[in-house]
PDB file of all heavy atoms in Angstrom:
ATOM      1  N   LEU A 467      -3.574   0.947   1.201  1.00 50.00           N
ATOM      2  CA  LEU A 467      -3.136   2.168   1.940  1.00 50.00           C
ATOM      3  C   LEU A 467      -1.922   1.980   2.658  1.00 50.00           C
ATOM      4  O   LEU A 467      -1.132   2.926   2.884  1.00 50.00           O
ATOM      5  CB  LEU A 467      -4.328   2.850   2.598  1.00 50.00           C
ATOM      6  CG  LEU A 467      -5.454   3.397   1.847  1.00 50.00           C
ATOM      7  CD1 LEU A 467      -6.590   3.821   2.686  1.00 50.00           C
ATOM      8  CD2 LEU A 467      -5.059   4.519   0.890  1.00 50.00           C
ATOM      9  N   ALA A 468      -1.900   0.843   3.341  1.00 51.00           N
ATOM     10  CA  ALA A 468      -0.776   0.625   4.282  1.00 51.00           C
ATOM     11  C   ALA A 468       0.555   0.591   3.572  1.00 51.00           C
ATOM     12  O   ALA A 468       1.671   0.768   4.088  1.00 51.00           O
ATOM     13  CB  ALA A 468      -0.866  -0.694   4.972  1.00 51.00           C
ATOM     14  N   LYS A 469       0.444   0.207   2.183  1.00 58.00           N
ATOM     15  CA  LYS A 469       1.676   0.236   1.408  1.00 58.00           C
ATOM     16  C   LYS A 469       2.188   1.452   0.818  1.00 58.00           C
ATOM     17  O   LYS A 469       3.049   1.635   0.194  1.00 58.00           O
ATOM     18  CB  LYS A 469       1.376  -0.794   0.203  1.00 58.00           C
ATOM     19  CG  LYS A 469       1.414  -2.174   0.419  1.00 58.00           C
ATOM     20  CD  LYS A 469       1.237  -2.946  -0.760  1.00 58.00           C
ATOM     21  CE  LYS A 469       0.902  -4.318  -0.580  1.00 58.00           C
ATOM     22  NZ  LYS A 469       0.676  -5.104  -1.937  1.00 58.00           N
ATOM     23  N   GLN A 470       1.294   2.553   1.078  1.00 87.00           N
ATOM     24  CA  GLN A 470       1.639   3.857   0.632  1.00 87.00           C
ATOM     25  C   GLN A 470       2.591   4.612   1.490  1.00 87.00           C
ATOM     26  O   GLN A 470       2.235   5.352   2.464  1.00 87.00           O
ATOM     27  CB  GLN A 470       0.401   4.710   0.482  1.00 87.00           C
ATOM     28  CG  GLN A 470      -0.674   3.986  -0.492  1.00 87.00           C
ATOM     29  CD  GLN A 470      -0.160   3.709  -1.792  1.00 87.00           C
ATOM     30  OE1 GLN A 470       0.641   4.337  -2.484  1.00 87.00           O
ATOM     31  NE2 GLN A 470      -0.682   2.600  -2.361  1.00 87.00           N
ATOM     32  N   LEU A 471       3.897   4.513   1.186  1.00 95.00           N
ATOM     33  CA  LEU A 471       4.798   5.342   1.915  1.00 95.00           C
ATOM     34  C   LEU A 471       4.827   6.714   1.400  1.00 95.00           C
ATOM     35  O   LEU A 471       4.754   6.891   0.140  1.00 95.00           O
ATOM     36  CB  LEU A 471       6.311   4.757   1.844  1.00 95.00           C
ATOM     37  CG  LEU A 471       6.521   3.320   2.381  1.00 95.00           C
ATOM     38  CD1 LEU A 471       7.850   2.926   1.958  1.00 95.00           C
ATOM     39  CD2 LEU A 471       6.378   3.276   3.765  1.00 95.00           C
ATOM     40  N   THR A 472       5.067   7.755   2.241  1.00 97.00           N
ATOM     41  CA  THR A 472       5.216   8.960   1.709  1.00 97.00           C
ATOM     42  C   THR A 472       6.629   9.011   0.899  1.00 97.00           C
ATOM     43  O   THR A 472       7.404   8.242   1.292  1.00 97.00           O
ATOM     44  CB  THR A 472       5.224  10.095   2.769  1.00 97.00           C
ATOM     45  OG1 THR A 472       6.558   9.910   3.574  1.00 97.00           O
ATOM     46  CG2 THR A 472       4.072  10.036   3.604  1.00 97.00           C
ATOM     47  N   PRO A 473       6.790   9.991   0.079  1.00 97.00           N
ATOM     48  CA  PRO A 473       8.129  10.047  -0.639  1.00 97.00           C
ATOM     49  C   PRO A 473       9.275  10.329   0.417  1.00 97.00           C
ATOM     50  O   PRO A 473      10.420   9.625   0.271  1.00 97.00           O
ATOM     51  CB  PRO A 473       8.066  11.255  -1.554  1.00 97.00           C
ATOM     52  CG  PRO A 473       6.604  11.325  -1.960  1.00 97.00           C
ATOM     53  CD  PRO A 473       5.927  10.904  -0.574  1.00 97.00           C
ATOM     54  N   PHE A 474       8.999  11.002   1.586  1.00 97.00           N
ATOM     55  CA  PHE A 474      10.069  11.183   2.573  1.00 97.00           C
ATOM     56  C   PHE A 474      10.319   9.874   3.163  1.00 97.00           C
ATOM     57  O   PHE A 474      11.459   9.610   3.477  1.00 97.00           O
ATOM     58  CB  PHE A 474       9.519  12.218   3.623  1.00 97.00           C
ATOM     59  CG  PHE A 474      10.531  12.349   4.732  1.00 97.00           C
ATOM     60  CD1 PHE A 474      11.513  13.304   4.529  1.00 97.00           C
ATOM     61  CD2 PHE A 474      10.349  11.738   5.786  1.00 97.00           C
ATOM     62  CE1 PHE A 474      12.391  13.465   5.491  1.00 97.00           C
ATOM     63  CE2 PHE A 474      11.258  11.810   6.960  1.00 97.00           C
ATOM     64  CZ  PHE A 474      12.360  12.721   6.811  1.00 97.00           C
ATOM     65  N   GLU A 475       9.333   9.086   3.525  1.00 97.00           N
ATOM     66  CA  GLU A 475       9.507   7.839   4.212  1.00 97.00           C
ATOM     67  C   GLU A 475      10.343   6.860   3.283  1.00 97.00           C
ATOM     68  O   GLU A 475      11.202   6.188   3.842  1.00 97.00           O
ATOM     69  CB  GLU A 475       8.199   7.223   4.541  1.00 97.00           C
ATOM     70  CG  GLU A 475       7.543   7.828   5.595  1.00 97.00           C
ATOM     71  CD  GLU A 475       6.003   7.369   5.846  1.00 97.00           C
ATOM     72  OE1 GLU A 475       5.462   6.893   4.840  1.00 97.00           O
ATOM     73  OE2 GLU A 475       5.502   7.511   7.051  1.00 97.00           O
ATOM     74  N   LEU A 476      10.056   6.982   2.030  1.00 97.00           N
ATOM     75  CA  LEU A 476      10.778   6.110   1.071  1.00 97.00           C
ATOM     76  C   LEU A 476      12.210   6.466   1.013  1.00 97.00           C
ATOM     77  O   LEU A 476      13.045   5.543   1.189  1.00 97.00           O
ATOM     78  CB  LEU A 476      10.225   6.232  -0.344  1.00 97.00           C
ATOM     79  CG  LEU A 476      10.851   5.395  -1.454  1.00 97.00           C
ATOM     80  CD1 LEU A 476      10.922   3.962  -1.136  1.00 97.00           C
ATOM     81  CD2 LEU A 476      10.202   5.727  -2.743  1.00 97.00           C
ATOM     82  N   VAL A 477      12.493   7.686   0.953  1.00 97.00           N
ATOM     83  CA  VAL A 477      14.002   7.943   0.779  1.00 97.00           C
ATOM     84  C   VAL A 477      14.588   7.792   2.142  1.00 97.00           C
ATOM     85  O   VAL A 477      15.803   7.306   2.242  1.00 97.00           O
ATOM     86  CB  VAL A 477      14.059   9.590   0.370  1.00 97.00           C
ATOM     87  CG1 VAL A 477      15.476  10.126   0.536  1.00 97.00           C
ATOM     88  CG2 VAL A 477      13.475   9.653  -0.929  1.00 97.00           C
ATOM     89  N   TYR A 478      13.909   8.015   3.284  1.00 96.00           N
ATOM     90  CA  TYR A 478      14.451   7.810   4.526  1.00 96.00           C
ATOM     91  C   TYR A 478      14.818   6.294   4.833  1.00 96.00           C
ATOM     92  O   TYR A 478      15.894   5.883   5.246  1.00 96.00           O
ATOM     93  CB  TYR A 478      13.484   8.303   5.759  1.00 96.00           C
ATOM     94  CG  TYR A 478      13.921   7.856   7.121  1.00 96.00           C
ATOM     95  CD1 TYR A 478      14.900   8.725   7.717  1.00 96.00           C
ATOM     96  CD2 TYR A 478      13.495   6.725   7.686  1.00 96.00           C
ATOM     97  CE1 TYR A 478      15.309   8.376   8.932  1.00 96.00           C
ATOM     98  CE2 TYR A 478      13.933   6.490   9.047  1.00 96.00           C
ATOM     99  CZ  TYR A 478      14.925   7.292   9.568  1.00 96.00           C
ATOM    100  OH  TYR A 478      15.388   6.922  10.952  1.00 96.00           O
ATOM    101  N   LEU A 479      13.925   5.363   4.412  1.00 97.00           N
ATOM    102  CA  LEU A 479      14.117   3.984   4.533  1.00 97.00           C
ATOM    103  C   LEU A 479      15.191   3.475   3.686  1.00 97.00           C
ATOM    104  O   LEU A 479      16.088   2.715   4.098  1.00 97.00           O
ATOM    105  CB  LEU A 479      12.809   3.210   4.143  1.00 97.00           C
ATOM    106  CG  LEU A 479      11.729   3.286   5.132  1.00 97.00           C
ATOM    107  CD1 LEU A 479      10.449   2.571   4.506  1.00 97.00           C
ATOM    108  CD2 LEU A 479      12.056   2.763   6.458  1.00 97.00           C
ATOM    109  N   ALA A 480      15.415   4.133   2.380  1.00 97.00           N
ATOM    110  CA  ALA A 480      16.526   3.692   1.501  1.00 97.00           C
ATOM    111  C   ALA A 480      17.926   4.123   2.182  1.00 97.00           C
ATOM    112  O   ALA A 480      18.668   3.423   2.245  1.00 97.00           O
ATOM    113  CB  ALA A 480      16.222   4.479   0.235  1.00 97.00           C
ATOM    114  N   ASN A 481      17.743   5.411   2.759  1.00 97.00           N
ATOM    115  CA  ASN A 481      19.125   5.877   3.327  1.00 97.00           C
ATOM    116  C   ASN A 481      19.381   4.988   4.594  1.00 97.00           C
ATOM    117  O   ASN A 481      20.640   4.954   4.891  1.00 97.00           O
ATOM    118  CB  ASN A 481      18.804   7.386   3.765  1.00 97.00           C
ATOM    119  CG  ASN A 481      20.152   7.987   4.218  1.00 97.00           C
ATOM    120  OD1 ASN A 481      21.063   7.843   3.480  1.00 97.00           O
ATOM    121  ND2 ASN A 481      19.979   8.859   5.275  1.00 97.00           N
ATOM    122  N   GLN A 482      18.519   4.453   5.296  1.00 97.00           N
ATOM    123  CA  GLN A 482      18.802   3.786   6.451  1.00 97.00           C
ATOM    124  C   GLN A 482      19.090   2.146   5.995  1.00 97.00           C
ATOM    125  O   GLN A 482      19.350   1.403   6.822  1.00 97.00           O
ATOM    126  CB  GLN A 482      17.559   3.684   7.390  1.00 97.00           C
ATOM    127  CG  GLN A 482      17.165   5.025   7.976  1.00 97.00           C
ATOM    128  CD  GLN A 482      18.312   5.482   8.810  1.00 97.00           C
ATOM    129  OE1 GLN A 482      18.913   4.841   9.639  1.00 97.00           O
ATOM    130  NE2 GLN A 482      18.747   6.901   8.565  1.00 97.00           N
ATOM    131  N   GLY A 483      18.939   1.852   4.769  1.00 96.00           N
ATOM    132  CA  GLY A 483      19.432   0.513   4.382  1.00 96.00           C
ATOM    133  C   GLY A 483      18.238  -0.534   4.189  1.00 96.00           C
ATOM    134  O   GLY A 483      18.592  -1.618   3.971  1.00 96.00           O
ATOM    135  N   TYR A 484      17.091  -0.110   4.264  1.00 97.00           N
ATOM    136  CA  TYR A 484      15.979  -0.995   4.185  1.00 97.00           C
ATOM    137  C   TYR A 484      15.632  -1.486   2.769  1.00 97.00           C
ATOM    138  O   TYR A 484      14.913  -2.500   2.758  1.00 97.00           O
ATOM    139  CB  TYR A 484      14.714  -0.283   4.801  1.00 97.00           C
ATOM    140  CG  TYR A 484      14.765  -0.133   6.356  1.00 97.00           C
ATOM    141  CD1 TYR A 484      15.111   0.947   6.923  1.00 97.00           C
ATOM    142  CD2 TYR A 484      14.448  -1.292   7.173  1.00 97.00           C
ATOM    143  CE1 TYR A 484      15.184   1.087   8.211  1.00 97.00           C
ATOM    144  CE2 TYR A 484      14.374  -1.151   8.488  1.00 97.00           C
ATOM    145  CZ  TYR A 484      14.727   0.004   9.025  1.00 97.00           C
ATOM    146  OH  TYR A 484      14.867   0.206  10.456  1.00 97.00           O
ATOM    147  N   LEU A 485      16.254  -0.977   1.846  1.00 97.00           N
ATOM    148  CA  LEU A 485      16.174  -1.430   0.542  1.00 97.00           C
ATOM    149  C   LEU A 485      17.445  -2.063  -0.092  1.00 97.00           C
ATOM    150  O   LEU A 485      17.601  -2.269  -1.212  1.00 97.00           O
ATOM    151  CB  LEU A 485      15.610  -0.371  -0.389  1.00 97.00           C
ATOM    152  CG  LEU A 485      14.215   0.247  -0.130  1.00 97.00           C
ATOM    153  CD1 LEU A 485      13.952   1.397  -0.977  1.00 97.00           C
ATOM    154  CD2 LEU A 485      13.178  -0.908  -0.195  1.00 97.00           C
ATOM    155  N   SER A 486      18.310  -2.321   0.860  1.00 97.00           N
ATOM    156  CA  SER A 486      19.612  -2.927   0.363  1.00 97.00           C
ATOM    157  C   SER A 486      19.521  -4.207  -0.330  1.00 97.00           C
ATOM    158  O   SER A 486      20.281  -4.563  -1.320  1.00 97.00           O
ATOM    159  CB  SER A 486      20.670  -3.034   1.487  1.00 97.00           C
ATOM    160  OG  SER A 486      20.092  -3.793   2.507  1.00 97.00           O
ATOM    161  N   GLU A 487      18.532  -5.045   0.059  1.00 97.00           N
ATOM    162  CA  GLU A 487      18.465  -6.325  -0.644  1.00 97.00           C
ATOM    163  C   GLU A 487      17.869  -6.140  -2.018  1.00 97.00           C
ATOM    164  O   GLU A 487      18.037  -7.136  -2.910  1.00 97.00           O
ATOM    165  CB  GLU A 487      17.303  -7.222   0.246  1.00 97.00           C
ATOM    166  CG  GLU A 487      17.933  -7.791   1.399  1.00 97.00           C
ATOM    167  CD  GLU A 487      16.967  -8.644   2.256  1.00 97.00           C
ATOM    168  OE1 GLU A 487      16.009  -9.093   1.618  1.00 97.00           O
ATOM    169  OE2 GLU A 487      17.059  -8.872   3.427  1.00 97.00           O
ATOM    170  N   GLN A 488      17.272  -5.049  -2.333  1.00 97.00           N
ATOM    171  CA  GLN A 488      16.924  -4.933  -3.650  1.00 97.00           C
ATOM    172  C   GLN A 488      17.965  -4.066  -4.541  1.00 97.00           C
ATOM    173  O   GLN A 488      17.569  -3.471  -5.560  1.00 97.00           O
ATOM    174  CB  GLN A 488      15.540  -4.033  -3.723  1.00 97.00           C
ATOM    175  CG  GLN A 488      14.287  -4.722  -3.216  1.00 97.00           C
ATOM    176  CD  GLN A 488      14.377  -5.069  -1.738  1.00 97.00           C
ATOM    177  OE1 GLN A 488      14.771  -4.399  -0.959  1.00 97.00           O
ATOM    178  NE2 GLN A 488      13.852  -6.333  -1.484  1.00 97.00           N
ATOM    179  N   GLY A 489      19.066  -3.870  -3.974  1.00 97.00           N
ATOM    180  CA  GLY A 489      20.240  -3.278  -4.676  1.00 97.00           C
ATOM    181  C   GLY A 489      20.450  -1.764  -4.530  1.00 97.00           C
ATOM    182  O   GLY A 489      21.127  -1.213  -5.220  1.00 97.00           O
ATOM    183  N   ILE A 490      19.699  -1.166  -3.499  1.00 98.00           N
ATOM    184  CA  ILE A 490      19.746   0.162  -3.291  1.00 98.00           C
ATOM    185  C   ILE A 490      20.777   0.484  -2.126  1.00 98.00           C
ATOM    186  O   ILE A 490      20.450  -0.118  -0.940  1.00 98.00           O
ATOM    187  CB  ILE A 490      18.421   0.802  -2.846  1.00 98.00           C
ATOM    188  CG1 ILE A 490      17.440   0.573  -3.893  1.00 98.00           C
ATOM    189  CG2 ILE A 490      18.473   2.206  -2.537  1.00 98.00           C
ATOM    190  CD1 ILE A 490      17.715   1.222  -5.296  1.00 98.00           C
ATOM    191  N   PRO A 491      21.838   1.180  -2.330  1.00 97.00           N
ATOM    192  CA  PRO A 491      22.893   1.267  -1.325  1.00 97.00           C
ATOM    193  C   PRO A 491      22.213   2.298  -0.171  1.00 97.00           C
ATOM    194  O   PRO A 491      21.406   3.045  -0.452  1.00 97.00           O
ATOM    195  CB  PRO A 491      24.020   1.899  -1.963  1.00 97.00           C
ATOM    196  CG  PRO A 491      23.461   2.601  -3.184  1.00 97.00           C
ATOM    197  CD  PRO A 491      22.299   1.663  -3.626  1.00 97.00           C
ATOM    198  N   SER A 492      22.875   2.257   0.956  1.00 95.00           N
ATOM    199  CA  SER A 492      22.413   3.029   2.073  1.00 95.00           C
ATOM    200  C   SER A 492      23.417   4.249   2.358  1.00 95.00           C
ATOM    201  O   SER A 492      24.560   4.169   1.779  1.00 95.00           O
ATOM    202  CB  SER A 492      22.198   2.327   3.302  1.00 95.00           C
ATOM    203  OG  SER A 492      23.467   1.684   3.700  1.00 95.00           O
ATOM    204  N   SER A 493      22.945   5.211   3.003  1.00 95.00           N
ATOM    205  CA  SER A 493      23.655   6.286   3.557  1.00 95.00           C
ATOM    206  C   SER A 493      24.599   7.035   2.546  1.00 95.00           C
ATOM    207  O   SER A 493      24.019   7.423   1.386  1.00 95.00           O
ATOM    208  CB  SER A 493      24.664   5.821   4.758  1.00 95.00           C
ATOM    209  OG  SER A 493      25.197   6.843   5.358  1.00 95.00           O
ATOM    210  N   MET A 494      25.935   7.061   2.602  1.00 96.00           N
ATOM    211  CA  MET A 494      26.685   7.638   1.681  1.00 96.00           C
ATOM    212  C   MET A 494      26.783   6.920   0.376  1.00 96.00           C
ATOM    213  O   MET A 494      26.976   7.522  -0.662  1.00 96.00           O
ATOM    214  CB  MET A 494      28.139   7.818   2.298  1.00 96.00           C
ATOM    215  CG  MET A 494      28.351   8.747   3.493  1.00 96.00           C
ATOM    216  SD  MET A 494      27.775  10.461   3.198  1.00 96.00           S
ATOM    217  CE  MET A 494      28.904  11.032   2.021  1.00 96.00           C
ATOM    218  N   GLY A 495      26.519   5.606   0.319  1.00 97.00           N
ATOM    219  CA  GLY A 495      26.457   4.987  -0.862  1.00 97.00           C
ATOM    220  C   GLY A 495      25.287   5.321  -1.629  1.00 97.00           C
ATOM    221  O   GLY A 495      25.318   5.353  -3.016  1.00 97.00           O
ATOM    222  N   LEU A 496      24.162   5.655  -1.067  1.00 97.00           N
ATOM    223  CA  LEU A 496      22.965   6.103  -1.811  1.00 97.00           C
ATOM    224  C   LEU A 496      23.246   7.551  -2.303  1.00 97.00           C
ATOM    225  O   LEU A 496      22.868   7.742  -3.489  1.00 97.00           O
ATOM    226  CB  LEU A 496      21.769   6.103  -0.770  1.00 97.00           C
ATOM    227  CG  LEU A 496      20.534   6.747  -1.344  1.00 97.00           C
ATOM    228  CD1 LEU A 496      19.893   5.979  -2.447  1.00 97.00           C
ATOM    229  CD2 LEU A 496      19.387   6.981  -0.260  1.00 97.00           C
ATOM    230  N   ILE A 497      23.856   8.358  -1.513  1.00 96.00           N
ATOM    231  CA  ILE A 497      24.303   9.597  -2.150  1.00 96.00           C
ATOM    232  C   ILE A 497      25.171   9.582  -3.255  1.00 96.00           C
ATOM    233  O   ILE A 497      24.942  10.118  -4.351  1.00 96.00           O
ATOM    234  CB  ILE A 497      24.825  10.451  -0.950  1.00 96.00           C
ATOM    235  CG1 ILE A 497      23.854  10.760  -0.026  1.00 96.00           C
ATOM    236  CG2 ILE A 497      25.445  11.801  -1.575  1.00 96.00           C
ATOM    237  CD1 ILE A 497      24.375  11.387   1.333  1.00 96.00           C
ATOM    238  N   SER A 498      26.244   8.747  -3.153  1.00 96.00           N
ATOM    239  CA  SER A 498      27.064   8.508  -4.308  1.00 96.00           C
ATOM    240  C   SER A 498      26.474   8.020  -5.484  1.00 96.00           C
ATOM    241  O   SER A 498      26.739   8.417  -6.665  1.00 96.00           O
ATOM    242  CB  SER A 498      28.310   7.632  -3.833  1.00 96.00           C
ATOM    243  OG  SER A 498      29.100   8.169  -2.843  1.00 96.00           O
ATOM    244  N   ALA A 499      25.567   6.968  -5.402  1.00 97.00           N
ATOM    245  CA  ALA A 499      24.892   6.437  -6.389  1.00 97.00           C
ATOM    246  C   ALA A 499      23.883   7.363  -7.054  1.00 97.00           C
ATOM    247  O   ALA A 499      23.726   7.419  -8.365  1.00 97.00           O
ATOM    248  CB  ALA A 499      23.986   5.220  -5.918  1.00 97.00           C
TER     249      ALA A 499
END
Side-chain angles (χ1 to χ4, degrees):
L467 288 174
K469 289 185 189 178
Q470 305 303 329
L471 296 173
T472 66
F474 177 83
E475 291 168 331
L476 175 60
V477 173
Y478 177 80
L479 290 175
N481 191 43
Q482 296 299 310
Y484 287 96
L485 297 174
S486 61
E487 288 183 19
Q488 287 70 36
I490 304 295
S492 62
S493 193
M494 292 305 290
L496 177 62
I497 292 169
S498 296

